[in-house]
Amino acid sequence: MKLQAVELRRIRLPLVAPFETSFGVQTERDVLLLKAVTDAGDGWGECVVGEEPTYSPEYVNGAQHVLIHHLIPRLLDRALTTGEVSKLLRPVHGHQMAKAAVEMAVLDAELRDQGQSFARFFGAVRDEVDCGVSVGIQPSIAALLSTVGGYLDQGYRRIKLKIKPGWDVEPVRAVRERFGDIPLQVDANTAYTLADATHLAKLDPFALLLIEQPMPEEQVLAHAELAKTVRTPICLDESIHSLQAASDAIELGACRIINLKPGRVGGYLEARRIHDLCAARGLPVWMGGMLETGIGRAGNVAMAAMPNFTLPGDTSASNRYFHRDITEPFVLRDGRLKVPAGPGLGVNVDEEFVDSITHWQGTVGRAGIRTVS
Ligand code: SMG
Ligand code: MG
């Protein structure tokens, strides 16, 4: 296969409700989409970066720049398989989310051409996946209980609460008291330090499934230390940016569970390697979320159907995020989403709608970079 060009576009999609984490509030997504144009057909990719470098060092303007000037030019006009993409991009350090987006577009083109779904390519063992939902920091306990109650009524099979210092034990207690024994977990997005160990241990009596990324991403050893004080299983998200990082964290005893996000680790192929490593080491994994559109969701739901994804993921329905998705919507049925079965990502992109919400567009091809708007 030959990659002839990559079309990039930025679309603006408002969120149905503000999403607050320990690092800020988001009210809309500014999504960078990629279309790989190959001699075997087209493929779609979604870059999961945020607008600001607050979840990780990557951000949307930076990803756009590195893709145009450093990543895509390394892939153009040569015989190419998806498996070679990460090797060709290795001279560029970091930028996992940007790399993942272009690898995803190439994989979609390759699999659509072969008539194979992402799910089959990954070795999926289910045709639908259990879904959880991530609940942002709320303005009050009353608002939290009403939001969680609404999601439980919709059928979500697990609730994740975003926490930060000053919003942790009380919200967890309130949710446990109101809703009883539901599958419940928390995510701190790096907001604590090891000095908070005894405070975090106050979460232990609530029988949470896990506490996700309590401390900064570089502090892998500190997470192993924390595990000596806190009984709740520690799950890493931000710290796991590669197979090597996963392997080291497991070896150090820094986590018992991993949140797998293909974007964060440089692509679906690296994510599959981490899934396999965790399976071999007896650690469960679950599919994370980055407020993806239907394009990213399709790939994530397919991967979540692999055997070692044994906990419900942050793979919520389209209407949890957007009034209107850019593909056919993912709809929650009995707390599950259906795994797309068609070739490639198995979803159709509503290009007319995408055009109507595009605020920048450009193409990188043999003729160089052409910016349309
Ligand atoms: O996609 O449902 C989703 C969001 C899940 O909480 C979620 N993601 O740290 O796991 C995480 C956050 C990162 C994204 S915040 C914009
Ligand atoms: Mg997280």
Side-chain angles (χ1 to χ4, degrees):
M1 196 169 81
K2 249 190 195 162
L3 182 63
Q4 295 163 330
V6 177
E7 297 173 17
L8 300 99
R9 54 167 86 223
R10 295 264 295 268
I11 60 168
R12 231 185 280 287
L13 266 182
L15 294 172
V16 292
F19 186 54
E20 181 171 348
T21 64
S22 60
F23 58 82
V25 191
Q26 242 178 296
T27 55
E28 66 166 21
R29 279 212 65 208
D30 179 348
V31 192
L32 174 59
L33 297 178
L34 274 63
K35 192 199 269 182
V37 179
T38 82
D39 57 353
D42 297 348
W44 287 94
E46 173 172 348
C47 188
V48 300
V49 285
E51 235 175 302
E52 287 199 277
T54 45
Y55 165 83
S56 82
E58 293 189 80
Y59 64 106
V60 67
N61 284 333
Q64 180 182 316
H65 186 279
V66 81
L67 277 158
I68 292 174
H69 297 283
H70 303 283
L71 300 179
I72 295 167
R74 286 181 151 79
L75 305 174
L76 289 175
D77 286 317
R78 55 193 302 160
L80 184 70
T81 62
T82 306
E84 288 159 349
V85 170
S86 66
K87 292 187 195 89
L88 290 166
L89 301 182
R90 196 165 293 152
V92 177
H93 289 227
H95 298 283
Q96 281 87 344
M97 293 176 183
K99 289 176 177 177
V102 67
E103 186 197 74
M104 176 182 183
V106 171
L107 180 60
D108 186 36
E110 190 172 79
L111 293 182
R112 279 184 203 260
D113 178 48
Q114 294 169 1
Q116 190 180 172
S117 66
F118 267 50
R120 191 147 65 85
F121 175 73
F122 292 144
V125 293
R126 294 176 272 272
D127 54 20
E128 45 183 24
V129 298
D130 287 358
C131 297
V133 61
S134 175
V135 181
I137 290 163
Q138 302 288 310
S140 65
I141 295 287
L144 173 71
L145 294 177
S146 138
T147 302
V148 170
Y151 286 139
L152 290 172
D153 288 346
Q154 289 173 47
Y156 284 103
R157 290 173 174 260
R158 178 274 279 154
I159 298 290
K160 161 168 138 180
L161 303 182
K162 290 290 191 181
I163 59 167
K164 66 175 181 181
W167 181 265
D168 44 31
V169 179
E170 286 321 309
V172 168
R173 186 197 313 280
V175 168
R176 266 284 177 256
E177 277 173 5
R178 173 70 64 89
F179 301 107
D181 198 20
I182 55 165
L184 184 64
Q185 62 193 52
V186 294
D187 184 3
N189 288 108
T190 76
Y192 295 87
T193 71
L194 201 48
D196 298 310
T198 50
H199 178 69
L200 290 171
K202 292 183 188 152
L203 293 169
D204 285 340
F206 300 106
L208 301 176
L209 290 168
L210 57 92
I211 172 166
E212 181 178 343
Q213 198 71 43
M215 296 182 292
E217 52 269 49
E218 310 82 1
Q219 297 185 20
V220 177
L221 198 52
H223 282 89
E225 276 302 306
L226 183 67
K228 294 178 185 160
T229 307
V230 175
R231 267 188 299 111
T232 306
I234 290 170
C235 169
L236 289 177
D237 172 358
E238 285 90 331
S239 295
I240 308 299
H241 48 80
S242 64
L243 176 67
Q244 185 66 55
S247 165
D248 290 355
I250 296 168
E251 196 60 39
L252 283 168
C255 59
R256 283 199 266 159
I257 299 169
I258 285 180
N259 165 336
L260 207 37
K261 291 178 180 165
R264 196 195 59 226
V265 303
Y268 282 100
L269 301 194
E270 185 80 346
R272 182 168 65 176
R273 289 188 278 271
I274 297 174
H275 164 277
D276 294 350
L277 168 79
C278 289
R281 301 297 301 270
L283 269 79
V285 299
W286 55 280
M287 180 54 68
M290 293 296 288
L291 309 172
E292 287 91 345
T293 72
I295 294 179
R297 195 159 312 285
N300 288 354
V301 165
M303 176 158 268
M306 292 177 74
N308 196 39
F309 281 84
T310 51
L311 293 166
D314 284 343
T315 46
S316 310
S318 295
N319 69 2
R320 143 76 180 85
Y321 308 94
F322 313 113
H323 296 290
R324 179 173 172 186
D325 209 331
I326 60 170
T327 61
E328 52 275 48
F330 281 82
V331 178
L332 198 70
R333 289 223 170 78
D334 195 20
R336 300 192 174 96
L337 291 185
K338 219 164 142 20
V339 177
L345 289 167
V347 287
N348 299 298
V349 177
D350 183 343
E351 296 205 40
E352 217 170 286
F353 178 47
V354 167
D355 279 343
S356 73
I357 54 174
T358 296
H359 65 90
W360 176 89
Q361 206 171 335
T363 300
V364 185
R366 199 177 322 186
I369 305 152
R370 190 163 49 84
T371 301
V372 177
S373 55

